[in-house]
């Protein structure tokens, strides 16, 4: 089995051109059916590792999902993280900034949502919108958004070093034709029509601009402490397989351990046996 943590990672300093990455790539995996057993195994491991993380309370995990419209961000949250306990796993969606948020620096609204020790947080869209949408649509001048790459790198380094957080960033790479095919499915499927936006087709006109913006993001903000992974996502089942495998391997690498009991187990066992003894039960009945 290929190690997608290495194969799909963006090496820091690499100049990325998305035309060099095939969004249809699926390795040696032939179909959704053939990958399901491994995906399910990964989800089970993620559940167990999250429980361990919560118990140990020393590490945290931040997962960042970015991609063009219909790339599958919601699908990843639904299908990859479905086994995690919602008490310790939260998904956050950063929409258009409010007037209050715009009155602060662009990272002000993000920091309160980073994971505390023992928890997992998923950013479904993220602080990277401020070097993607803000750039493509000219919401701020170049002299503003061009400085944000370094500011993001510093922000993520702070989270990693101060809170022992592992950051995994996934770019869901789909083709323009695949995006259009998914838009058609939304039109044809009543259960998906709620996702249709008036901006869907207008945003397609900016496809090339978004590609350039993503290329700069991947080139300038993939670091040793917060790497990007380019996930071929035309095949949803490969997307889920690759992401779940990467998360499992990275969580296993944390070397987490269950904490030692804070009580005297010998004393607790004595109390248990006393409470469970037949004599103790008979005494309660006599009363």
């Amino acid at each position: 089995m290929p190690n997608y943590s290495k194969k799909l990672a963006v090496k820091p300093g690499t100049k990325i051109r998305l035309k060099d990455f095939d969004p249809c790539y699926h390795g040696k995996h032939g179909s959704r059916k053939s990958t399901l057993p491994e995906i399910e195994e990964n989800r089970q491991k993620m559940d167990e590792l999250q429980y361990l993380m919560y118990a140990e309370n020393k590490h945290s995990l931040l997962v960042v999902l970015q991609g063009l419209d219909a790339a599958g961000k919601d699908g990843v949250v639904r299908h990859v993280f479905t086994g995690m306990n919602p008490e310790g796993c939260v998904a956050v969606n950063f929409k258009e900034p409010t007037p209050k948020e715009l009155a602060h620096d662009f990272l002000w609204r993000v920091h309160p949502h980073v994971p505390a020790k023992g928890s997992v947080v998923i950013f479904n869209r993220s602080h990277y919108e401020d070097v993607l949408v803000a750039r493509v649509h000219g919401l701020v001048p170049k002299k503003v958004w061009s400085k944000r790459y370094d500011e993001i790198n510093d922000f993520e380094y702070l989270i990693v070093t101060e809170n022992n957080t592992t950051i995994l960033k996934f770019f869901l790479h789909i083709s323009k034709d695949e995006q259009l095919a998914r838009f058609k499915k939304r039109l044809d499927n009543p259960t998906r029509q709620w996702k249709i936006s008036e901006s869907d087709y207008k945003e397609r006109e900016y496809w090339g601009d978004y590609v350039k913006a993503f290329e700069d993001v991947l080139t300038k903000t993939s670091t040793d402490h917060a790497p990007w992974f380019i996930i071929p996502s035309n095949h949803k089942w490969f997307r889920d397989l690759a992401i779940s495998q990467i998360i499992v391997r990275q969580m296993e690498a944390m070397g987490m351990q269950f904490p030692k009991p804070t009580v005297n187990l010998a004393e607790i066992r004595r109390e248990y046996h006393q409470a469970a003894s037949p004599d103790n039960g008979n005494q309660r009945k006599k009363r």
Side-chain angles (χ1 to χ4, degrees):
M1 174 59 63
N3 183 346
Y4 294 122
S5 290
K6 293 183 178 180
K7 185 174 181 62
L8 302 179
V10 175
K11 186 177 179 180
T14 304
K15 191 170 183 63
I16 295 299
R17 290 291 177 261
L18 288 175
K19 63 181 178 62
D20 298 330
F21 297 84
D22 181 7
C24 284
Y25 174 82
H26 54 78
K28 295 182 179 179
H29 310 283
S31 66
R32 178 178 180 273
K33 184 177 180 180
S34 67
T35 61
L36 278 178
E38 186 175 349
I39 293 173
E40 183 54 40
E41 181 181 354
N42 289 339
R43 285 193 296 225
Q44 179 62 36
K45 288 180 180 178
M46 286 170 61
D47 178 42
E48 295 169 358
L49 288 163
Q50 182 208 9
Y51 178 70
L52 176 56
M53 176 181 285
Y54 182 81
E56 186 191 47
N57 200 36
K58 291 182 178 180
H59 296 79
S60 58
L61 174 65
L62 174 60
V63 174
V64 175
L65 301 175
Q66 289 286 164
L68 288 152
D69 291 338
K73 297 177 290 294
D74 291 341
V76 171
V77 175
R78 181 179 179 184
H79 297 293
V80 174
F81 294 91
T82 185
M84 284 195 170
N85 186 336
E87 186 175 359
C89 179
V90 178
V92 181
N93 190 331
F94 292 96
K95 299 184 181 295
E96 184 176 344
T98 65
K100 181 178 180 180
E101 290 169 343
L102 287 171
H104 294 79
D105 66 90
F106 76 103
L107 292 169
W108 178 81
R109 66 175 183 154
V110 179
H111 208 153
H113 298 286
V114 301
K117 288 184 175 67
S119 64
V120 177
V121 171
I122 309 155
F123 282 179
N124 182 349
R125 297 186 187 271
S126 67
H127 43 298
Y128 284 96
E129 295 295 292
D130 289 291
V131 287
L132 293 167
V133 176
R135 167 180 169 170
V136 170
H137 289 285
L139 302 181
V140 294
K142 181 177 180 179
K143 66 179 181 180
V144 173
W145 60 254
S146 61
K147 295 188 298 183
R148 289 179 173 174
Y149 302 111
D150 289 337
E151 292 167 348
I152 287 172
N153 288 339
D154 291 342
F155 172 69
E156 292 176 346
Y157 184 75
L158 172 70
I159 297 169
V160 170
T161 56
E162 292 297 318
N163 205 48
N164 206 19
T165 299
T166 295
I167 303 177
L168 303 175
K169 301 178 296 194
F170 299 104
F171 170 64
L172 309 185
H173 185 30
I174 61 170
S175 65
K176 195 173 184 180
D177 288 342
E178 177 64 18
Q179 184 195 59
L180 190 61
R182 293 183 184 185
F183 282 172
K184 183 179 185 303
K185 288 182 179 179
R186 289 180 181 180
L187 281 171
D188 296 341
N189 188 339
T191 66
R192 298 187 181 190
Q193 289 173 356
W194 65 274
K195 287 192 170 187
I196 297 174
S197 168
E198 291 182 354
S199 67
D200 286 347
Y201 298 93
K202 293 178 182 177
E203 287 293 280
R204 278 176 62 82
E205 298 174 7
Y206 297 94
W207 183 274
D209 294 327
Y210 273 113
V211 167
K212 291 178 182 178
F214 271 112
E215 288 174 342
D216 280 349
V217 163
L218 296 166
T219 297
K220 297 180 178 184
T221 65
S222 190
T223 60
D224 290 328
H225 59 270
W228 276 103
F229 300 87
I230 299 176
I231 308 297
S233 298
N234 274 13
H235 298 290
K236 297 177 182 179
W237 44 268
F238 178 77
R239 172 201 72 196
D240 295 345
L241 172 66
I243 291 176
S244 62
Q245 186 206 88
I246 292 169
I247 291 173
V248 167
R249 292 194 178 211
Q250 294 294 323
M251 292 184 77
E252 288 177 337
M254 294 178 189
M256 297 180 289
Q257 296 181 348
F258 283 107
K260 294 181 179 180
T262 58
V263 298
N264 185 325
L265 289 182
E267 178 64 21
I268 296 299
R269 285 195 179 96
R270 186 190 65 77
E271 292 181 4
Y272 164 75
H273 289 301
Q274 183 178 3
S277 68
D279 291 342
N280 191 48
N282 291 335
Q283 290 176 2
R284 287 197 300 266
K285 288 180 182 180
K286 290 179 181 178
R287 293 176 185 173

